[in-house]
Amino acid sequence: MSLGLLALVAFAPILMAGILLVGFRVPAKWAMPAVYVCAVVLALSVWNMDAIQVAASSVQGLFVTFDILFIIFGAILLLKTLERSGAVSAIRAGFTTISDDRRVQVVIVAWLFGSFIEGAAGFGTPAAVVSPLLVALGFPALASVMIGMMIQSTAVTFGAVGTPVMIGVTDGLAGPELNAALTAAGVSFESYRQTITVYAAGLHAVTGILMPTIMVVMTTRFFGERKSWVEGLRIFPFAVFGGLAFTTPYLLTAVFLGPEFPSLVGGAVGLGIVTWAARRSFLLPDDHWDFASADFWPEDWFGVGQSRSAEDTETLSGSVPEFGNFDEVLEEERAALEGPGGVGPAATADPLAVRAGPGRTMSTAMAWAPYAVLPVLLVLTRLRQLPLGSWLQSARIEWTGIFGTEITASTTPLYLPAFVLLVTVSLTWVLHRMNRRQIVAALGDSARILIPAGFVLIFTVPMVRVYINSGVNAGMLASGADLPSMPIVMASWVATNVGGVWPFFAPWIGALGAFIAGSNTVSNLMFSLFQFGVAEQLAISGAMVVALQAVGAAAGNMVAIHNVVAASATVGLLGKEGAVLRKTILPTLYYLIVVGTLGMLAVYVLGVAAPLTGAG
């Protein structure tokens, strides 16, 4: 079989996923099991993998799935706890006092607060949290979803305390090809991953500076009374200041602390600095910008429950992760619109306050307290000078030589960020004096989100591990060697036919994976080893190419269909996702073009190298 045909066969499961999920809109809970079966059939028939190897790879994937789901549960539970305690309502109220200029609100509420939420929770929560928040502030529902989707760019690679890198890149690269190269070079995997982290953060730090400006000018152009780009550009100095206030601590954190903290620290530091500056009108223009009266808004700008009267504006609330099928969630949202307590004529303007209990008030400082505790606890568990991290890692669950193969799987549940999230949740229950009913409700909300995500992931991640481990097989080449793994076969074909311009196209592959799967983490799982293989074939920096993959996958979240549907559901805008996608494709193209160009400059002008053979 020729290399081209073999590469096409290897690509078939990914192509199948794209066709089923995007082309035919098959729910992920049906599509991904079919894709897993397709990958297994190809592994057994074309790659001649032993059935035991396939089974062991699947078990290894289930270990990774546990890690991801544990993190998702912890992140969503913290957010749901804050919703039920009334903290989210208090945070929302605090934003209304900063500035009534909508351009300033986009920079502070959407870009900075949204990026902070991405760093803390990830998995699609920024758009699902910020979109209804913007509607409550008086934004059109359609504008709020567009802006909410654009939040999911720079911060995403290090979202959910670094999950796309800590799990996506780590388990996406964990194959015999890279292990052999690292061993030969005398380099630890942790050191190599840190190189990828710094490269990815550098690419984001440059490209992300202009994201607040783009968010503002798209708001004034598509939703302003005069449809003007210029009105957005008048706040350019402040918007760039907002971009730098996030990306500077973001990059420094990546360099000195690693992949778990950049978005969390960047969002927190930037939010503090820019809020302080806005209150003092620093770099703000003399003019003031607002939307036209809601009486003149087109009908398609409104979500269900949003009135033409700003005082009567009401929103849906909730958060939905990137993974899984959203049918169940959307049904719940529709039921909320019609059932008792749903958004309707008799509903309160602040449904979260109702959940917190009548008569309960909370200070802004107390509302933010859990988010202040979280990064402190995370840092304490990651500092090598302290024994806490080593103690947590000692609680290890490992299966060595699964089914008699050389495949090993392990997890350290207490060292995962999820454990710190759960500790933070427990402290929140005490700090916010939550009652048993609120706690049970938060747990129930989180479990309902986790179940559909878990069902999809128990097929998606094992499929990826079968892909990666397919290099151990009896499919003999003419030379007598085993067939390379499926990602490496695809990489060989790409290197042969695309050549040295690959750094420009690498982020586009990452974006494609995120578009299909709705997740940076899953895109990295699927394509990291493929990207590394292309770099090895071209003798260029593998760390840089994998970083380009991770950054491109973050940009792809802006057009991920799952995320658009989830964000639209929170403001009652279902059925108008196409209008959002037609707008968010613009910042996505900006991101991919700039990052691809930076990749070419890094590899061929700056000569960026990673610690493998002087190039890889």
Side-chain angles (χ1 to χ4, degrees), residues 410-500:
S410 65
T411 181
T412 52
L414 298 186
Y415 190 68
L416 291 173
F419 177 72
V420 178
L421 286 163
L422 293 182
V423 171
T424 305
V425 166
S426 301
L427 291 173
T428 303
W429 292 344
V430 177
L431 289 173
H432 291 182
R433 294 179 295 146
M434 295 178 66
N435 58 42
R436 181 176 177 274
R437 184 178 178 182
Q438 292 171 317
I439 294 170
V440 171
L443 288 167
D445 291 343
S446 303
R448 281 192 293 273
I449 290 172
L450 189 71
I451 290 170
F455 184 80
V456 172
L457 284 174
I458 62 175
F459 293 98
T460 302
V461 183
M463 182 273 289
V464 172
R465 295 312 307 173
V466 171
Y467 240 56
I468 291 173
N469 291 333
S470 59
V472 179
N473 56 71
M476 307 299 284
L477 296 173
S479 62
D482 291 350
L483 279 174
S485 65
M486 297 186 197
I488 299 302
V489 167
M490 291 189 291
S492 299
W493 183 87
V494 168
T496 302
N497 291 274
V498 177

Side-chain angles (χ1 to χ4, degrees), residues 23 67 71 90 96 139 179 219 238 248 287 305 350 406 485 493 551 585:
D67 287 354
I71 295 171
T96 63
F139 282 64
N179 291 338
T219 301
F238 181 81
T248 302
D287 67 318
D350 189 355
E406 76 290 350
S485 65
W493 183 87
V551 174
I585 189 65

Side-chain angles (χ1 to χ4, degrees), residues 272-329:
I273 292 173
V274 177
T275 298
W276 179 87
R279 292 186 187 280
R280 290 156 180 77
S281 299
F282 179 68
L283 295 178
L284 291 179
D286 295 331
D287 67 318
H288 174 274
W289 189 86
D290 199 352
F291 301 103
S293 169
D295 293 333
F296 300 101
W297 292 358
E299 287 296 329
D300 63 353
W301 287 14
F302 289 90
V304 176
Q306 187 178 21
S307 168
R308 287 190 180 275
S309 172
E311 290 78 12
D312 295 333
T313 294
E314 297 161 344
T315 68
L316 294 169
S317 64
S319 69
V320 184
E322 290 178 298
F323 297 112
N325 169 42
F326 293 101
D327 292 348
E328 295 89 348
V329 178

Side-chain angles (χ1 to χ4, degrees), residues 204-248:
H204 271 309
V206 174
T207 312
I209 292 172
L210 291 182
M211 278 304 295
T213 303
I214 295 172
M215 295 167 75
V216 169
V217 298
M218 287 185 64
T219 301
T220 60
R221 171 62 181 84
F222 293 116
F223 298 96
E225 186 174 8
R226 299 179 182 83
K227 308 294 182 184
S228 170
W229 301 102
V230 175
E231 288 179 324
L233 288 173
R234 286 176 185 155
I235 204 173
F236 178 76
F238 181 81
V240 170
F241 173 64
L244 286 168
F246 173 76
T247 59
T248 302

